[in-house]
Each structure stands twice: as C-alpha cells, then as structure tokens.
C-alpha cells in the first residue's frame, strides 16, 4: 500500500469518545480493515484528584469530544468513520479531513500508546485473524514503528514471508 496511515482528529458528541472508539474498532474487526484503520485513541492523562481530603488517581480525557484515528484516508474509511454513531465530523476545513503532523502530535504532549509486545525475532507465533488465520510461523523481523512483524509461514510447501499487524498474531 503506497499511502501511509496518518493521524486524523474526529469530533464526537461529548461523553461519546469511548463509544465511538469501540464502534470504529468493531467495524474494523467485522470488515477486516486493520490495514486501513490502524488505531483509534482517546488520549487520557492520569491526574491526582483530592476529594474529601483523600488523594486518588483519576484518568481524564485530554481532549473531551475528540478521538484520534490513525488511518489511510479512502472513500470507504472516511465514510465508515464519518458515519459512526456519535461522530459529528472530522476536524478540517469543510468536509476535508486534515492529518496531524508529527510536530502537532508531539506538541500536544500526547504519548501515543506504544504497542507493548512480548515478541522477539525467532519466536513461534500463531496467526489469530485475517486470511492466514490459524497458520503457525516464525518471526523474522519486527517493525515497532509500523506495529508489524514479518512472519515466515509455510505455504504450498515453501516458507513465505508475510507482513502482519501486532494484533493479528499470538505468541505460542
């Protein structure tokens, strides 16, 4: 895929951020669109709140009413996200979504969640979703930036390298 996924900001009804995230993720799973819509994030920040003289850690939304979506913009992905319940639109002039720049993401002070993976090259893994589901293979390469691995799968009697998303595999 020539296009690279970029981060877009989606405006939601206040209080619907987590529902929007869950709904988009459900559609991604149902339509097997992990390649096109790669991540949906509701940025949160832990803060200390003092209530009745007691300190407690609470999670607050950094941008209430907004959800960040890392996706490759196509007519399909635009339509899916735009028509998700609770979404009022993309942030950008008119109906044209504008991706965030790396600098904007850094300036927001948002640490986008890094995939925590307990995988290493040479680990045996099982594919849990997608066209290679239930295949067993060995990791030959890990790309943390793209959140993908190259797994050698045995297909038609020969070893074939296949690029898979972190979410598509499970360590054996």
């Amino acid at each position: 895929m020539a296009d690279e996924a970029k981060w877009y900001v989606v405006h939601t009804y206040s209080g619907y951020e987590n529902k929007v995230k869950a709904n988009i993720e459900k559609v991604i799973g149902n339509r097997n669109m992990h390649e096109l819509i790669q991540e949906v994030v509701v940025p949160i920040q832990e803060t200390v709140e003092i209530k009745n003289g007691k300190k407690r850690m609470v999670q607050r939304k950094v941008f209430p009413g907004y959800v960040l979506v890392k996706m490759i913009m196509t007519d399909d992905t635009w339509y899916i996200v735009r028509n998700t319940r609770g979404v009022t639109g993309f942030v950008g002039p008119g109906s044209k979504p504008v991706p965030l720049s790396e600098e904007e993401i850094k300036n927001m002070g948002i640490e986008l969640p890094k995939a925590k993976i307990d995988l290493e090259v040479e680990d045996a893994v099982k594919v849990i979703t997608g066209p290679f589901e239930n295949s067993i293979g060995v990791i030959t390469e890990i790309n943390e930036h793209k959140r993908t691995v190259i797994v050698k799968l045995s297909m038609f009697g020969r070893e074939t390298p296949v690029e898979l998303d972190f979410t598509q595999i499970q360590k054996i």
Side-chain angles (χ1 to χ4, degrees):
M1 197 151 287
D3 286 345
E4 195 178 315
K6 293 187 169 35
W7 286 99
Y8 292 89
V9 181
V10 177
H11 191 256
T12 68
Y13 292 123
S14 190
Y16 273 73
E17 301 87 355
N18 292 329
K19 286 187 189 97
V20 165
K21 174 180 164 59
N23 289 341
I24 293 173
E25 287 173 344
K26 195 163 140 192
V27 172
I28 295 168
N30 291 344
R31 296 196 186 185
N32 200 8
M33 298 184 81
H34 305 277
E35 296 288 311
L36 294 172
I37 304 176
Q38 298 173 358
E39 267 184 272
V40 185
V41 177
V42 177
I44 53 171
Q45 175 178 52
E46 293 218 329
T47 55
V48 176
E49 192 177 78
I50 299 172
K51 205 172 190 177
N52 300 333
K54 291 189 176 121
K55 278 187 184 182
R56 37 173 245 191
M57 290 299 284
V58 292
Q59 292 188 332
R60 294 217 185 285
K61 292 181 183 92
V62 180
F63 304 110
Y66 295 94
V67 174
L68 301 180
V69 181
K70 185 177 187 181
M71 61 190 263
I72 294 169
M73 188 58 72
T74 66
D75 290 346
D76 280 351
T77 57
W78 179 89
Y79 184 84
I80 286 165
V81 173
R82 180 67 189 86
N83 290 296
T84 298
R85 259 182 75 134
V87 170
T88 58
F90 280 96
V91 172
S95 62
K96 186 173 176 0
V98 176
L100 291 173
S101 67
E102 291 288 322
E103 198 175 318
E104 286 173 313
I105 292 169
K106 283 187 190 123
N107 289 345
M108 287 177 170
I110 299 170
E111 279 301 308
L112 296 167
K114 286 268 183 263
K116 307 255 187 306
I117 58 155
D118 179 25
L119 297 170
E120 292 174 24
V121 171
E122 298 295 312
D123 279 353
V125 292
K126 178 179 180 181
V127 182
I128 53 174
T129 63
F132 304 107
E133 191 170 347
N134 295 324
S135 299
I136 307 276
V138 175
I139 296 176
T140 58
E141 211 178 294
I142 299 173
N143 183 332
E144 294 208 21
H145 180 69
K146 280 176 63 185
R147 302 169 63 101
T148 61
V149 290
I150 304 290
V151 177
K152 265 195 190 155
L153 298 176
S154 180
M155 289 191 290
F156 312 116
R158 64 166 54 124
E159 299 276 292
T160 307
V162 177
E163 185 177 37
L164 297 166
D165 193 72
F166 287 173
T167 60
Q168 292 180 279
I169 58 169
Q170 173 183 329
K171 194 171 176 177
I172 304 177

